[in-house]
Amino acid sequence: MDCLVRFAQVHESFRKPELQALADLSCIDVKFLDYSQYSPHCIIRLSDEDAARTLIRRSILGQNIYELWGSGSTYDELHQDIERRTSNLRPKYKTSSFKFEVHAYQAKRSLAEQNALIQGFRYLGFDGPIKLKDPEQTFCIFEECEWAVEQPKRLFFGRRIASSSRGIIDTYTLKKRKYLSTTSMDSELAFVTANLTQAAPGRIFYDPFVGTGSFLIACAHFSAFTMGSDIDGRAIRGKNGINILTNLQQYDLLDKHLDNFVADLTHSPFRKVHRFLDGIICDPPYGVREGLKVLGSRDGSGKNEIPYIDGKPAHLQDHYLPPKKPYRFEAMLDDILAFAAATLVYRGRLSLWMPTANDDNDSGGDLEIPRHACLQVVSICVQGFNK
C-alpha cells in the first residue's frame, strides 16, 4: 500500500535515515517513492497497515502516517486520482464516523476556504456521522505551496492511520530536567539519535561521554539497557545529591540503567571484552570550552607514582581530579571507531556527533567522515545552524 508520511519540517537530513532505521529495526520493507528534504510530505510503499503503524509509532521527526488516497497538482487531478485509487476502499468506511482536516504548508486557509474545499469531496459518499472529537476515521487534505505563491504546487488526500511519538519531546524537555550542564543534548535530537542507533528492548547501549545522560534517557525510554562513562568524575557524581541517576529517576527509567563510571576512552575497562554492545551513542566534547582531554600528564611523568593527600591515596578521595593531557580530535575519532569495531555485536550501531564547518553542502555528502575497515557508514546527517 502507498502511504504518505507527514514530517516536521526540522532537521531535514535526519528524517529519512530515522525512518529507514526504524524500518530496519522492525524488519519492515519500505520503499521511498517520493522524498525531498524541502517538503514535509513523503510517499512510501509498505506491505500493509500494520507495517505503517509500527513504522511511525516511535518516530520523532515524523508526525503522522496516512493511507494515500490521491495526489495531483490541481484539485481536478486530485479528484480523478482519488476516483481511480479508492473504488474498492470507500465502501469500508461508508458508515464510519469521520472528520476532515486541511493542512496547508507555507500557506494559510480561512475556515470558509477550508469548508469549501471539504465540500468538494462530497462525492466520496460517506454516510456516517461527523465527529470532530475521536472519530473512527480522519481524512486529510494536504496543500503544498511555494513561498508567497497562492496556488498549491502539490496536493494530497489520505486517511490517517497512526501518529508518531513526537509528543515525548515536551515530556523530556530540558526545561523540566533536574540535572543539566551547558552541553546537555537537546531532547529531540537525543531521541532521534537513539532511533538512528536502533535502541530497543534487551539491547545494551553505552555512552562514553555521558555528561548529564541525555542519550541514556532516550535509549532507556525505548527500553534499552544503558550505561555511561565520563572522564570528569564531577559529571558522574553530580552536586548536592543531583546527578544522572536523578534524571533517570525523574522519568522512572532507573530499571533500565546498568551503571556509570569514571573513565576515558583510552583507558576503558571494556577494552578486553569483545562484542557485547548493541549500540554506542555519543557526543564527544570539542571546542575551546569543552576541549578534549585524556588521563595522563603532559610530560608523561607520574605513571608509577601514587600521590597522597593527608596520608591517603589521592585517587580514593571524593574530590580527586586526575591529571589530564590534551587529546587531538582526530585521535579521538580513530579511538572511537576502533573501540566500536572491537565491542559492537554484528550489526550493532555507532552514532557519533562531530563538528563540521561545511557551509556549502547541508547534505553531508562532501564531509570528511572517519572510516574503519570493520564499520560501514549507514547515514550522514547534518544539523544546520543559522549563519
Side-chain angles (χ1 to χ4, degrees):
M1 64 183 295
D2 289 353
C3 296
L4 182 144
V5 177
R6 181 172 172 84
F7 284 112
Q9 197 63 10
V10 294
H11 306 304
E12 291 84 357
S13 68
F14 290 75
R15 300 183 312 185
K16 185 177 178 181
E18 184 202 32
L19 211 60
Q20 185 65 65
L22 294 177
D24 294 342
L25 176 62
S26 299
C27 299
I28 294 173
D29 184 19
V30 58
K31 182 177 181 181
F32 288 83
L33 304 180
D34 186 338
Y35 175 80
S36 168
Q37 67 175 355
Y38 303 107
S39 168
H41 306 118
C42 170
I43 309 300
I44 60 175
R45 182 163 293 162
L46 297 169
S47 58
D48 52 37
E49 191 169 315
D50 287 340
R53 293 181 184 277
T54 301
L55 181 63
I56 201 65
R57 182 176 57 218
R58 54 178 278 182
S59 174
I60 303 300
L61 297 178
Q63 293 179 322
N64 300 287
I65 192 166
Y66 302 81
E67 181 181 37
L68 183 65
W69 279 31
S71 63
S73 57
T74 66
Y75 273 100
D76 286 341
E77 290 182 8
L78 176 63
H79 292 310
Q80 290 173 11
D81 196 36
I82 292 172
E83 292 274 19
R84 180 180 62 83
R85 286 174 177 259
T86 65
S87 58
N88 295 327
L89 291 175
R90 281 179 276 167
K92 296 181 184 179
Y93 312 107
K94 186 174 180 63
T95 59
S96 299
S97 61
F98 69 96
K99 73 173 181 179
F100 272 67
E101 294 179 351
V102 179
H103 298 285
Y105 174 63
Q106 297 193 138
K108 187 175 182 180
R109 290 285 190 179
S110 67
L111 286 177
E113 290 173 322
Q114 292 181 39
N115 287 331
L117 291 175
I118 292 170
Q119 291 302 316
F121 290 83
R122 295 178 66 89
Y123 64 89
L124 294 176
F126 296 140
D127 296 331
I130 297 173
K131 291 182 65 176
L132 298 183
K133 184 178 181 180
D134 298 326
E136 294 176 280
Q137 305 297 333
T138 299
F139 296 93
C140 298
I141 305 165
F142 299 97
E143 295 187 335
E144 185 175 320
C145 302
E146 296 281 9
W147 181 253
V149 177
E150 184 176 349
Q151 294 300 319
K153 68 172 183 177
R154 295 205 301 176
L155 299 162
F156 303 96
F157 182 75
R159 178 183 66 87
R160 182 183 296 168
I161 296 174
S163 299
S164 72
S165 292
R166 187 164 176 78
I168 65 174
I169 296 173
D170 292 332
T171 302
Y172 289 90
T173 177
L174 295 183
K175 296 178 182 179
K176 303 176 184 177
R177 196 165 299 175
K178 295 181 179 179
Y179 181 50
L180 290 173
S181 75
T182 56
T183 56
S184 294
M185 176 62 75
D186 166 72
S187 63
E188 180 177 22
L189 289 174
F191 277 95
V192 171
T193 309
N195 275 340
L196 290 171
T197 324
Q198 299 181 334
R203 297 188 174 189
I204 299 176
F205 273 63
Y206 170 55
D207 182 354
F209 306 94
V210 68
T212 60
S214 290
F215 286 140
L216 302 191
I217 291 169
C219 293
H221 172 85
F222 294 126
S223 296
F225 292 110
T226 64
M227 56 185 170
S229 66
D230 203 291
I231 190 175
D232 190 346
R234 293 170 296 183
I236 300 293
R237 292 187 293 269
K239 189 175 182 180
N240 299 325
I242 306 297
N243 52 36
I244 296 172
L245 298 183
T246 306
N247 284 343
L248 290 162
Q249 189 173 25
Q250 178 181 350
Y251 302 112
D252 197 23
L253 297 173
L254 270 177
D255 62 325
K256 297 296 185 291
H257 187 57
L258 301 177
D259 206 355
N260 298 314
F261 54 91
V262 181
D264 71 54
L265 199 66
T266 62
H267 296 79
S268 172
F270 298 143
R271 278 294 180 177
K272 296 181 181 179
V273 181
H274 290 262
R275 311 274 178 223
F276 76 107
L277 293 174
D278 296 285
I280 299 172
I281 181 170
C282 59
D283 179 21
Y286 45 81
V288 176
R289 182 177 60 188
E290 299 292 334
L292 280 168
K293 294 183 182 297
V294 292
L295 296 177
S297 58
R298 291 177 180 269
D299 58 5
S301 62
K303 288 184 177 180
N304 300 317
E305 301 175 4
I306 298 178
Y308 283 78
I309 300 177
D310 296 332
K312 297 180 181 179
H315 66 280
L316 297 179
Q317 300 190 29
D318 289 340
H319 300 292
Y320 172 70
L321 294 177
K324 302 180 182 69
K325 60 183 179 181
Y327 187 29
R328 289 189 308 109
F329 188 77
E330 294 79 4
M332 182 274 299
L333 293 178
D334 291 339
D335 286 339
I336 288 181
L337 295 184
F339 178 80
T343 57
L344 284 175
V345 301
Y346 180 62
R347 294 191 180 277
R349 290 198 171 200
L350 163 68
S351 284
L352 166 68
W353 283 80
M354 57 178 284
T356 175
N358 190 322
D359 295 328
D360 299 324
N361 189 349
D362 288 338
S363 68
D366 295 336
L367 300 182
E368 189 67 29
I369 302 300
R371 310 279 176 167
H372 191 284
C374 298
L375 302 174
Q376 176 186 356
V377 176
V378 175
S379 60
I380 301 170
C381 307
V382 180
Q383 180 190 17
F385 291 94
N386 294 330
K387 297 181 181 179

